[in-house]
Amino acid sequence: FTHKAREDGIDIPKGLCVVGPGGTGKSWLAQALGQEWDRTVLRLDIGACMGSLLGESESRLIKALKDSEAQAPCILFVDEFEKLFSGAGGSGVTDGGTFQRMYGTWLTWTQSRKADVFVVATTNSVTTIPAPALRKGRFDEVMYVGLPGLKQREEIFSIHLRKRGWDPAELKIDVPLLAKKTPNRTGSEIEQIVIEGLIRKGKDIGFGKEHPVATKHLVAAIDDVKIMAELNPGEASSLLEWAKSHRVMMANRDEEET
C-alpha cells in the first residue's frame, strides 16, 4: 500500500478471498483487517442488490461499487460471495440474463478499478464460483481457513471465557482438556459451548461472579452443542481437498494429536 511500492510499479493490492467451512471465523477477517489497517469496512449485501425490474440489479451493484470507491481507502466485505454467481452459468432465460450481467459487471470492476478498495470475499461454496472471478489480478490471494487445531481451540476457549469476565488461569479451568474433547469443532461452536457451560453453572450453583464456573460445567456443555461437521460431513473435507489441489494459501493449523 506504500508510495514506494507504487514507485516500483506495483499495483495497489486488490483483495483476498477466504474459503472454508461455516463458523471458522472467515467473516471476522474483514473486521480484523479494518482494525489493523485503520480502514472503514463496508459490507456489500448481494441480496439487497437484487431488484424486480430489468436492469435494476446491475444498476444497484454498480452504485454500490461506486459508493465504495467514493469512500476509498476502505475494505469492501462480501459475505457469501458465491451468491453473486448463482446464475452466471445459466442460459439467462429464466432471469432475463440478470446474473450474467451482474457477473460481467463484477469482473470488469475488479479488474479495472483504480480506487484503493480492498475486497475481502468469503465463501464456503467455492466450487460454484467461476474460475475467472478468483484469478490473480482480481484477488491477490485465495486463502483456506479450516477447522481449528488443538492449540487453536485452547486459545478460542480462553478468549471466550475472558470475554465474559472469567480468567481460565485464575479459575484453574483445564483448557487443554476442553480442547482435546472438541475435535472438529468450529470457533463459533466453541463460543456456544462456553455460553452453555455458563448457563449450566448458573443452574447448578447459581448465577453471578460469586459462583465461579468450573471445568465440569464446560465439559458437560460440549454435548449440548451440535457438531456442524457431522451434520454436513463432506463440506470441510471437500473444501480442504479443493484448497490442496489448487495450491491456495493455507491458514495455520495445528496437527491433531493421534
Side-chain angles (χ1 to χ4, degrees):
F1 293 110
T2 65
H3 292 294
K4 291 293 184 182
R6 300 294 83 72
E7 290 177 6
D8 284 346
I10 300 172
D11 293 334
I12 295 173
K14 291 193 171 183
L16 174 69
C17 183
V18 189
V19 178
T24 51
K26 300 186 300 296
S27 299
W28 286 108
L29 186 58
Q31 303 298 328
L33 287 178
Q35 291 284 337
E36 184 77 15
W37 295 347
D38 192 24
R39 290 188 175 207
T40 300
V41 179
L42 309 175
R43 181 175 179 271
L44 176 61
D45 187 340
I46 302 300
C49 289
M50 303 306 297
S52 58
L53 301 178
L54 184 63
E56 185 178 8
S57 301
E58 305 94 278
S59 297
R60 289 181 177 180
L61 177 59
I62 291 171
K63 182 181 184 304
L65 297 176
K66 286 184 176 179
D67 287 347
S68 69
E69 289 183 335
Q71 298 191 56
C74 64
I75 293 173
L76 183 63
F77 170 47
V78 188
D79 199 13
E80 297 182 312
F81 184 50
E82 69 278 359
K83 287 184 177 180
L84 187 60
F85 311 102
S86 58
S91 64
V93 175
T94 56
D95 66 351
T98 295
F99 277 108
Q100 291 176 333
R101 290 192 297 272
M102 291 182 71
Y103 174 44
T105 296
W106 176 264
L107 291 187
T108 300
W109 181 79
T110 52
Q111 182 67 37
S112 62
R113 74 182 184 277
K114 300 300 182 184
D116 188 358
V117 179
F118 189 86
V119 176
V120 177
T122 64
T123 180
N124 55 7
S125 300
V126 68
T127 55
T128 64
I129 299 175
L134 296 176
R135 73 168 177 80
K136 289 281 188 177
R138 293 194 170 96
F139 286 102
D140 299 284
E141 290 288 352
V142 178
M143 181 175 72
Y144 171 78
V145 177
L147 298 173
L150 184 66
K151 294 298 182 183
Q152 293 166 347
R153 293 197 300 274
E154 288 183 22
E155 188 173 354
I156 294 170
F157 268 110
S158 297
I159 286 171
H160 286 295
L161 283 165
R162 290 196 300 266
K163 178 182 176 181
R164 290 163 177 81
W166 303 99
D167 186 337
E170 182 181 322
L171 296 175
K172 294 183 173 53
I173 293 175
D174 193 343
V175 174
L177 174 65
L178 296 172
K180 288 180 181 179
K181 286 183 171 293
T182 50
N184 297 321
R185 293 286 193 168
T186 66
S188 61
E189 288 168 351
I190 291 174
E191 179 181 17
Q192 293 305 311
I193 289 170
V194 171
I195 293 171
E196 291 294 331
L198 293 174
I199 293 173
R200 279 181 170 269
K201 183 273 298 184
K203 292 179 177 179
D204 181 25
I205 59 176
F207 294 97
K209 293 298 181 184
E210 66 272 20
H211 304 292
V213 64
T215 302
K216 64 178 183 180
H217 301 124
L218 296 164
V219 170
I222 291 174
D223 291 336
D224 293 342
V225 179
K226 293 186 180 298
I227 306 175
M228 292 304 297
E230 292 182 353
L231 299 178
N232 190 5
E235 181 186 51
S237 59
S238 62
L239 287 173
L240 179 58
E241 288 305 313
W242 180 91
K244 289 179 178 178
S245 64
H246 287 76
R247 299 179 181 178
V248 305
M249 185 168 62
M250 308 284 283
N252 290 335
R253 186 174 189 273
D254 297 326
E255 292 294 330
E256 293 290 350
E257 292 184 357
T258 57

